[in-house]
Amino acid sequence: MLSLATVRERWTGFAGSFVALCLGVALLSVGALLLTSARPQVPDRYAGAAVLVHSPAVSQADAMFTENRPWSPETTRSLVDRLGAIAGVAAVVTDRSFYAQPVVDGQAVGDPRVAARQGHGWSSAALAPYRLRSGRAPQRADEVVLDHRLGLRPGTPVTLLTATGPAGYVVSGTLDGAGVYLTDAAAAALAPGVRALGLLTGAADVGSVEAAARAVVGTAGSVVSGAGRAALEPKSDARGRWIASQVITATAGLAAFVSIFVVASTFAFSVLQRRRLFALLRLVGASARQVRRVVLGEGLIVGTAGAAAGVLLGAGIAPAVGALLVKVGLEPPTFAVRITALPLAGAFGLGLVVALAGVWSAARRAAAARPVDALRAATVEQRPMTRPRWVFGTLFLIAGLALSVVTATADAREMINLAGVAAMALIVAMSLLAPVTIPPLVRLLTWPLAGASRAATGLLVREGALVAVRRIASTAAPVLVAVGFVVLITGFTLTSLQAYSAGRATALHAGAMLVPDGTPGLSDAAASAAPGVSLLPTTLYLGGDVTLRGSGVSPPALAAGRGRLDVVAGSLTTLPPDAIAVSAGTAARLGWRPGSTASLTFADGRTADLRVVAVLTDASAPVPALL
């Protein structure tokens, strides 16, 4: 009864803990729901294919999420023939993806991220399976089947943007699914490289077909079925999801950290206010264990109520946060938040742990109240700084200052991360050392009150702050931590965006730039029609799972930029079609030098032997390989 009475009496004093815990658990709930909903999903357009075969994956150590190595046309034909001979396989569908974007009312329609891969051959529609809503399948090279939601009827002319440029087509039919579908021959011309094959099995046993397909494919690719088909998720979606998971995890960690600080400070403040009450309880016979149980019981009640409210709040706002992540490009357009019990239960349990962790120190301090304290009308803090606060505060301060010095001399790629860690250490140090820093700040900010015309209210505030340093620190520390971390994350994000943008801008030596508007890139026609020079980025595949970023450069572009390319070995007077120039770092990593032969596979799946003619400095080379 004593515990319940104490809780009822002091309930209004825990509003800060309740609000902080509620918001913290809400952020944890949102993060947990987003992370569980962000697991790779089987793309809709593969939902009807029981077994899929994809080309060999490459190393993702550089976090660039490079697409799989494509098969050459010859390898594709061989695989199709051998897989088609498997018992139970009704058809083998060659799946091709390429850039295709319709133009409606003079505007390119659709999300550029989706448009970059929404073009397919007509046979790929069977993998979903999608069905015609009106019209017929494309039969000529200038015919196209589009999503019925675009509102275009069969027979309507439409302009289609592809990598080669805009071209006129005629709508032959509309589909009950997303995508742009040309004839298989037209798709093969736009995407000669193949990365996926779909096996339509009908009523055949999927397991036996999958096992037979693995025997046929061998090391030329991988065979997946069921949930494993999520491996064919577009790499751009996987990259956005990975970035989003980093942001969500950091935010959830911040929420838990700040919640612990706020809950601990609020309960510490409450214990200081009721120190005489706890001393009275000790005076009438209450044991230290009973007093500790009172405070822990209060923390359990506040934690349960705050965590429950936070879970409900988090479940309510998670869909809106998910939509925001899609809007800013951190999640694919198909992403949707799924409300499930497990992540919410985990957030609720973690909220209780956070509350009890925050109240544990306050409970120990309450149990340490001495009966003699009940006889004192007032108390003055004699020791606002405890030994652990001195030790850990000093350690974090030294670590933060040391990291700040290291940051000033670090490499540009490491500077942002080091600055973030240094700022975190300094924020924690300042919160722990708040009882030391508060008195000088109070004297500095209230020095006008020391004059003869000082007001009574201001004087009482000033002197009360100086004699109750621990109480003021308990109030100021959570505010300091919360504001500091919000500023840290906001500044970190903005600084990173500005740094990356500045890095990309300074790498381009041009007075004016032609950039895409509403499309994922510039077509060959747009780049050729504009004055000036351009680079054509590509991915080069070496042996095993090694990849190399490359760029095609025209003779005029090479002539214009030769003065900025520092050659350390070989010669770059010309760059023939069968030659390649590489950066010094690439040459050292791969053991290349002028005269070496590089066997490279291109995006169309074909392999060619190129001769290394020059090695460039890393600072002057725009990409690791120039073609």
Side-chain angles (χ1 to χ4, degrees), residues 169-567:
Y169 287 80
V170 177
V171 179
S172 66
T174 61
L175 203 64
D176 61 357
V180 176
Y181 292 86
L182 307 179
T183 64
D184 289 341
L190 290 170
V194 176
R195 292 184 170 91
L197 300 172
L199 306 187
L200 303 181
T201 59
D205 179 64
V206 174
S208 60
V209 171
E210 183 180 4
R214 283 200 175 93
V216 169
V217 174
T219 59
S222 299
V223 181
V224 293
S225 65
R229 295 172 297 171
L232 279 85
E233 176 192 41
K235 291 296 190 292
S236 58
D237 290 354
R239 182 176 183 272
R241 186 169 289 124
W242 176 77
I243 296 174
S245 68
Q246 308 303 307
V247 176
I248 294 168
T249 302
T251 304
L254 170 64
F257 187 80
V258 172
S259 296
I260 291 177
F261 259 74
V262 173
V263 171
S265 297
T266 306
F267 271 93
F269 180 67
S270 174
V271 167
L272 285 174
Q273 282 187 316
R274 293 183 290 163
R275 186 174 182 86
R276 191 180 182 198
L277 172 62
F278 292 130
L280 285 172
L281 293 176
R282 295 296 308 278
L283 186 63
V284 298
S287 66
R289 183 177 181 181
Q290 288 175 316
V291 174
R292 189 182 306 115
R293 190 184 303 164
V294 169
V295 180
L296 289 176
E298 293 171 348
L300 181 61
I301 293 175
V302 173
T304 302
V311 165
L312 294 176
L313 179 62
I317 65 176
V321 177
L324 180 61
L325 292 178
V326 173
K327 183 177 180 180
V328 300
L330 292 180
E331 294 288 358
T334 56
F335 174 76
V337 175
R338 298 185 299 276
I339 307 298
T340 54
L342 185 60
L344 295 179
F348 179 84
L350 186 57
L352 280 181
V353 171
V354 166
L356 295 178
V359 78
W360 177 254
S361 177
R364 293 184 58 190
R365 190 175 296 115
R370 298 172 299 175
V372 70
D373 291 339
L375 304 178
R376 297 176 180 172
T379 58
V380 178
E381 295 175 354
Q382 301 296 330
R383 192 165 169 257
M385 280 290 293
T386 61
R387 183 175 298 175
R389 292 190 75 146
W390 272 115
V391 173
F392 288 104
T394 304
L395 289 177
F396 275 104
L397 179 61
I398 294 173
L401 294 176
L403 287 171
S404 300
V405 175
V406 174
T407 301
T409 58
D411 182 82
R413 291 171 294 183
E414 301 293 336
M415 187 175 293
I416 295 179
N417 292 331
L418 287 173
V421 176
M424 292 176 66
L426 290 174
I427 290 172
V428 174
M430 290 299 99
S431 64
L432 291 174
L433 298 176
V436 177
T437 57
I438 283 176
L441 288 175
V442 169
R443 292 188 176 93
L444 176 65
L445 297 176
T446 61
W447 66 268
L449 299 177
S453 60
R454 55 194 178 189
T457 302
L459 180 62
L460 288 175
V461 171
R462 179 177 185 272
E463 297 303 322
L466 291 176
V467 300
V469 175
R470 180 179 292 179
R471 182 179 62 189
I472 301 301
S474 299
T475 306
V479 177
L480 174 64
V481 172
V483 174
F485 273 102
V486 168
V487 173
L488 170 62
I489 290 183
T490 305
F492 181 84
T493 303
L494 295 177
T495 301
S496 299
L497 292 175
Q498 293 293 335
Y500 291 136
S501 298
R504 289 191 296 266
T506 54
L508 301 172
H509 302 277
M513 301 293 298
L514 179 65
V515 297
D517 181 17
T519 63
L522 296 176
S523 66
D524 292 346
S528 301
V533 297
S534 63
L535 299 176
L536 180 63
T538 187
T539 299
L540 306 173
Y541 299 86
L542 285 72
D545 63 352
V546 180
T547 59
L548 192 64
R549 288 188 301 113
S551 184
V553 56
S554 64
L558 179 63
R562 187 177 292 114
R564 291 188 291 269
L565 300 176
D566 298 328
V567 180

Side-chain angles (χ1 to χ4, degrees), residues 54-93:
H54 65 81
S55 58
V58 297
S59 173
Q60 304 294 342
D62 56 359
M64 295 297 293
F65 292 89
T66 306
E67 295 287 349
N68 292 356
R69 179 194 303 272
W71 291 308
S72 66
E74 295 78 13
T75 301
T76 301
R77 286 193 294 269
S78 174
L79 287 173
V80 169
D81 293 340
R82 289 184 291 155
L83 291 170
I86 296 175
V89 175
V92 180
V93 178

Side-chain angles (χ1 to χ4, degrees), residues 537-620:
T538 187
T539 299
L540 306 173
Y541 299 86
L542 285 72
D545 63 352
V546 180
T547 59
L548 192 64
R549 288 188 301 113
S551 184
V553 56
S554 64
L558 179 63
R562 187 177 292 114
R564 291 188 291 269
L565 300 176
D566 298 328
V567 180
V568 296
S571 173
L572 198 59
T573 54
T574 60
L575 192 59
D578 62 345
I580 183 174
V582 298
S583 65
T586 301
R589 178 165 58 93
L590 300 175
W592 291 347
R593 60 181 183 275
S596 299
T597 299
S599 182
L600 304 173
T601 300
F602 293 87
D604 61 357
R606 297 186 181 276
T607 301
D609 292 334
L610 303 183
R611 178 171 47 90
V612 179
V613 296
V615 176
L616 312 175
T617 61
D618 291 331
S620 66

